[in-house]
C-alpha cells in the first residue's frame, strides 16, 4: 500500500491567521506528516521576527499531533528535499494568487522535478483574509479576534497597543 508522503506548507506567516490555520488543519488530515515552515525572505520586510512568527505558529497548532513547525532561510526546494518531503502545499484565495503561485510552482518543478506543488483552495469564509489586512486592521486598533488565533492576537496587541473595538454606538 502506498503511504502518503510528508508535506511542507511554507510561508511568511507574518502573522499566521485563521485562513492559514484552516489550510493547516485540512492538510494535516491528508498527510502522515506536515511541516509548517516559516521562511525568512530578505526581500520582504516583516512585522514580526522569524522567531516570533514561529512561536505564534507553534502556539496555534499545538493541538495537531502530526505537525512540525520549523523555520528556514534556505531555497525552498533544497529545504524540502533535505527534510525528506516531496510535496509543497500552497493556498489559493483568488485568481490574483494564481499567476504568482503558478510561476513559483513551475520554477520549483524545474529546479526539483521530484517535488510537486499541491494547491489547496481557501475556505470561502477566509477568502478575503491575508496577513497584510490583519496587520492593517490591528495597526488602527481594530479587533482582530475573529481573524487570528489568540496567540497571534496577543502579539498584535503587544505591537500595536490594546485593540479597541470599533463600536457603532460610539461607546
Ligand atoms: P507567502 O509570503 O509565502 O505568500 P503567506 O504567509 O502570505 O506567505 O502565505 C502562505 C501560504 O498561505 C500561501 O500559499 C498563501 O497563498 C496561503 N494563504 C494566505 N492566506 C490564505 C487564505 N486566506 N486562505 C488560504 N490560503 C491562504
Amino acid at each position: 500500500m502506498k503511504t502518503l508522503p510528508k508535506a511542507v506548507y511554507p510561508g511568511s506567516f507574518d502573522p499566521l491567521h485563521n485562513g492559514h490555520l484552516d489550510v493547516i488543519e485540512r492538510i494535516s488530515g491528508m498527510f502522515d506528516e506536515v511541516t509548517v515552515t516559516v521562511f525568512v525572505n530578505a526581500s520582504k520586510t516583516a512585522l514580526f521576527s522569524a522567531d516570533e512568527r514561529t512561536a505564534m505558529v507553534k502556539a496555534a497548532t499545538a493541538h495537531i499531533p502530526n505537525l512540525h513547525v520549523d523555520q528556514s532561510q534556505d531555497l525552498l526546494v533544497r529545504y524540502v528535499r533535505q527534510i525528506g518531503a516531496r510535496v509543497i502545499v500552497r493556498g489559493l484565495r483568488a485568481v490574483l494568487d494564481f499567476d504568482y503561485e503558478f510561476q513559483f510552482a513551475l520554477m520549483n518543478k524545474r529546479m526539483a522535478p521530484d517535488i510537486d506543488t499541491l494547491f489547496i483552495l481557501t475556505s470561502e469564509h477566509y477568502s478575503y483574509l491575508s496577513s497584510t489586512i490583519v496587520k492593517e486592521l490591528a495597526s488602527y486598533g481594530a479587533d482582530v479576534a475573529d481573524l487570528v488565533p489568540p496567540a497571534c492576537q496577543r502579539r498584535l496587541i503587544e505591537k500595536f497597543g490594546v485593540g479597541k473595538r470599533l463600536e457603532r454606538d460610539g461607546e
Side-chain angles (χ1 to χ4, degrees):
M1 197 175 90
K2 271 190 173 263
T3 55
L4 289 171
K6 280 189 194 180
V8 176
Y9 181 40
S12 309
F13 305 114
D14 183 42
L16 181 90
H17 55 63
N18 289 342
H20 293 134
L21 191 56
D22 173 61
V23 167
I24 293 169
E25 284 170 345
R26 286 157 64 201
I27 60 175
S28 63
M30 295 175 189
F31 294 91
D32 288 341
E33 253 185 73
V34 173
T35 303
V36 179
T37 308
V38 173
F39 271 82
V40 181
N41 184 339
S43 65
K44 280 190 185 174
T45 315
L47 174 67
F48 293 101
S49 71
D51 286 345
E52 287 175 314
R53 287 182 268 153
T54 306
M56 285 186 272
V57 178
K58 278 190 179 157
T61 59
H63 60 290
I64 307 174
N66 58 333
L67 193 92
H68 307 280
V69 182
D70 195 9
Q71 62 175 255
S72 176
Q73 301 194 31
D74 204 352
L75 183 71
L76 177 60
V77 286
R78 193 159 54 207
Y79 168 85
V80 170
R81 205 178 267 148
Q82 188 215 320
I83 69 159
R86 285 214 337 263
V87 176
I88 296 166
V89 176
R90 296 287 291 174
L92 285 180
R93 276 160 296 190
V95 184
L96 217 61
D97 283 339
F98 187 77
D99 259 2
Y100 171 77
E101 293 293 343
F102 186 63
Q103 191 184 10
F104 186 53
L106 287 182
M107 183 50 74
N108 285 335
K109 190 74 183 162
R110 191 189 153 108
M111 287 188 289
D114 53 320
I115 293 172
D116 276 301
T117 301
L118 181 86
F119 291 109
I120 185 155
L121 273 192
T122 182
S123 297
E124 198 184 345
H125 45 290
Y126 296 126
S127 58
Y128 60 90
L129 197 50
S130 70
S131 297
T132 305
I133 286 197
V134 166
K135 284 182 281 192
E136 177 128 8
L137 289 174
S139 76
Y140 287 104
D143 187 353
V144 293
D146 293 344
L147 310 180
V148 297
C152 305
Q153 189 198 10
R154 275 195 299 277
R155 298 256 183 178
L156 283 161
I157 289 172
E158 276 166 33
K159 286 274 179 205
F160 293 116
V162 178
K164 291 171 278 178
R165 292 194 71 93
L166 297 174
E167 303 288 358
R168 285 181 192 277
D169 57 8
E171 260 179 39

